Amino acid sequence: MHSSDLKKLKIAIVGAGYGGAAAAKALSLLGAQVDVYEQASRIREVGAGIGLRPATMNRFRQWGTFDAIVDVSSPSEYFEILTAGAEPIMKEAWPAAEGQTRTHLIHRGDFIDALLGVLPDGMVHLGHKLERVQDLGDRSRLTFAGGRTVAADLVVGADGIKSVVREQLFSPAQPVFSGEHAYRAVISADAAHGMVTDDNLRMYIGRGTKVYLLPLRHRGQVSFDITALCPDGTWAPEVTKDDLMATVEGFDERLVSITRDLDMSTVNIRAVYDIDPIDTWHSDSVVLVGDAAHSMLHHQGQGANSAIEDAGALADALRDAASLPAALARYQATRKPVTDELQRISRQGWTEAEIDDVFPGQKPAATAPKE
């Protein structure tokens, strides 16, 4: 699109998570008028650590935000997979991308703070819970709780796995339960029982359980994550310390000790969900990014990375295509095959035999329970 047309473009982004904040930065650099509407009254990202891949870091360099991310992250040269008893299985360097070879390990909270911190004051509007989105063809209208309405040439649905934009305009499909729980905590590096000696991600795999140690050296901390098979699809399940201890039975005693030492009030506990691939991500004036378009399981560590790549691809398409509808079609054609494959691969976390071995005769619920 011509730069003059881009400067006239009014864009409303629903959601101020990874995808929304990244899209706001990328699209505002085109000269468009961008506003972000977030339902929370304050931004507070829970959870633990993630890895930002080399290709993602290249996007940040392109947008002039590389240093802001580097300042609150730790560079990793490789990742390693080990048995439950800490015997090495494989070690691989991160896939390089245009000169970048390191994955940067970062706390989720630091990441969203860094993304939002590079946006202009006044761009993000908190306390806006979306109730209705209307596609009017060449523009769209948003209606928020309390009655406020906003019209925009382009609405970007970045409102996550329970996306209102997706459900009202593109697909009624609900989140799908994976048959797993994720237990995540951030602990002091001193509490890791000597298991963290460098900045590299390690995953220990055993019967029905995967344990991740993700160093956050810039914080003097470690992200300690357990993913365990469980048939309970309650969105926010109640789990005891004994339950956690049972998931790491037979693991290296140091991992068992880390689990035993956890303060349960600091552990983020959730059932793990994704969505089935959806056929259409856009109309002529509405488009989906991130988890709203393709929420995926965390086994490949690609959720946040995919959201950032979506934002970059959307900005590229708007810059290069002849019109807004053509740009949105190009964006979907570029990104959907990639994320469809990542969704497929990420679901290959466990075999049917392993699932039957851990909870025989029990079948996990297929979709999210009603709240």
Side-chain angles (χ1 to χ4, degrees), residues 88-157:
I89 297 175
M90 62 164 286
K91 180 166 68 174
E92 287 191 6
W94 298 104
E98 298 177 17
Q100 290 291 324
T101 60
R102 294 175 172 178
T103 282
H104 281 70
L105 307 182
I106 190 169
H107 188 279
R108 293 168 185 265
D110 293 341
F111 183 33
I112 196 65
D113 286 347
L115 285 176
L116 294 174
V118 297
L119 299 181
D121 291 340
M123 182 178 285
V124 179
H125 309 276
L126 301 178
H128 283 70
K129 182 178 181 180
L130 182 66
E131 291 190 338
R132 187 182 182 194
V133 54
Q134 296 168 277
D135 186 338
L136 306 176
D138 61 348
R139 61 191 176 91
S140 290
R141 180 183 296 117
L142 303 174
T143 302
F144 299 97
R148 181 182 179 184
T149 62
V150 171
D153 302 307
L154 173 62
V155 166
V156 179

Side-chain angles (χ1 to χ4, degrees), residues 49-221:
I50 57 175
L52 302 176
R53 302 293 179 87
T56 303
M57 296 304 295
N58 278 335
R59 283 293 186 185
F60 294 136
R61 189 180 295 280
Q62 175 186 341
W63 300 336
T65 59
F66 183 86
D67 290 343
I69 301 298
V70 169
D71 286 347
V72 290
S73 63
S74 303
S76 171
E77 302 289 346
Y78 62 85
F79 65 96
E80 189 171 12
I81 300 176
L82 305 97
T83 67
E87 296 295 327
I89 297 175
M90 62 164 286
K91 180 166 68 174
E92 287 191 6
W94 298 104
E98 298 177 17
Q100 290 291 324
T101 60
R102 294 175 172 178
T103 282
H104 281 70
L105 307 182
I106 190 169
H107 188 279
R108 293 168 185 265
D110 293 341
F111 183 33
I112 196 65
D113 286 347
L115 285 176
L116 294 174
V118 297
L119 299 181
D121 291 340
M123 182 178 285
V124 179
H125 309 276
L126 301 178
H128 283 70
K129 182 178 181 180
L130 182 66
E131 291 190 338
R132 187 182 182 194
V133 54
Q134 296 168 277
D135 186 338
L136 306 176
D138 61 348
R139 61 191 176 91
S140 290
R141 180 183 296 117
L142 303 174
T143 302
F144 299 97
R148 181 182 179 184
T149 62
V150 171
D153 302 307
L154 173 62
V155 166
V156 179
D159 48 341
I161 189 171
K162 297 181 181 180
S163 171
V164 173
V165 179
R166 182 185 71 239
E167 182 171 0
Q168 291 191 5
L169 295 184
F170 299 110
S171 172
Q174 296 298 302
V176 178
F177 179 46
S178 68
E180 298 172 312
H181 284 181
Y183 313 121
R184 293 169 172 163
V186 175
I187 63 173
S188 165
D190 294 336
H193 291 265
M195 297 199 77
V196 177
T197 58
D198 55 31
D199 292 328
N200 297 302
L201 171 65
R202 289 179 172 84
M203 178 179 73
Y204 303 80
I205 58 175
R207 176 177 169 270
T209 299
K210 299 175 182 176
V211 178
Y212 301 83
L213 284 175
L214 186 149
L216 300 167
R217 177 169 49 87
H218 59 289
R219 280 173 159 247
Q221 294 177 325

Side-chain angles (χ1 to χ4, degrees), residues 200-342:
N200 297 302
L201 171 65
R202 289 179 172 84
M203 178 179 73
Y204 303 80
I205 58 175
R207 176 177 169 270
T209 299
K210 299 175 182 176
V211 178
Y212 301 83
L213 284 175
L214 186 149
L216 300 167
R217 177 169 49 87
H218 59 289
R219 280 173 159 247
Q221 294 177 325
V222 179
S223 179
F224 181 70
D225 300 8
I226 300 171
T227 298
L229 289 170
C230 185
D232 178 10
T234 306
W235 195 271
E238 294 185 7
V239 174
T240 67
K241 174 67 72 66
D242 287 343
D243 294 329
L244 258 65
M245 293 300 296
T247 68
V248 295
E249 182 179 350
F251 275 72
D252 186 287
E253 184 54 40
R254 294 169 295 177
L255 296 172
V256 174
S257 295
I258 293 173
T259 307
R260 185 182 298 112
D261 294 343
L262 289 175
D263 176 352
M264 290 299 292
S265 68
T266 69
V267 179
N268 178 261
I269 300 169
R270 66 177 181 88
V272 181
Y273 284 82
D274 66 357
I275 62 173
D276 292 327
I278 62 174
D279 293 334
T280 303
W281 291 5
H282 72 91
S283 64
D284 285 350
S285 62
V286 183
V287 68
L288 301 175
V289 300
D291 282 354
H294 49 66
S295 180
M296 60 189 69
L297 304 183
H298 61 277
H299 302 305
Q300 298 298 312
Q302 288 285 8
N305 289 281
S306 293
I308 305 305
E309 285 296 308
D310 287 353
L314 179 58
D316 292 346
L318 286 170
R319 184 189 63 236
D320 297 337
S323 66
L324 178 55
L328 301 184
R330 177 180 295 191
Y331 157 72
Q332 177 173 317
T334 300
R335 291 295 300 152
K336 182 170 163 54
V338 177
T339 59
D340 281 356
E341 179 65 4
L342 285 172

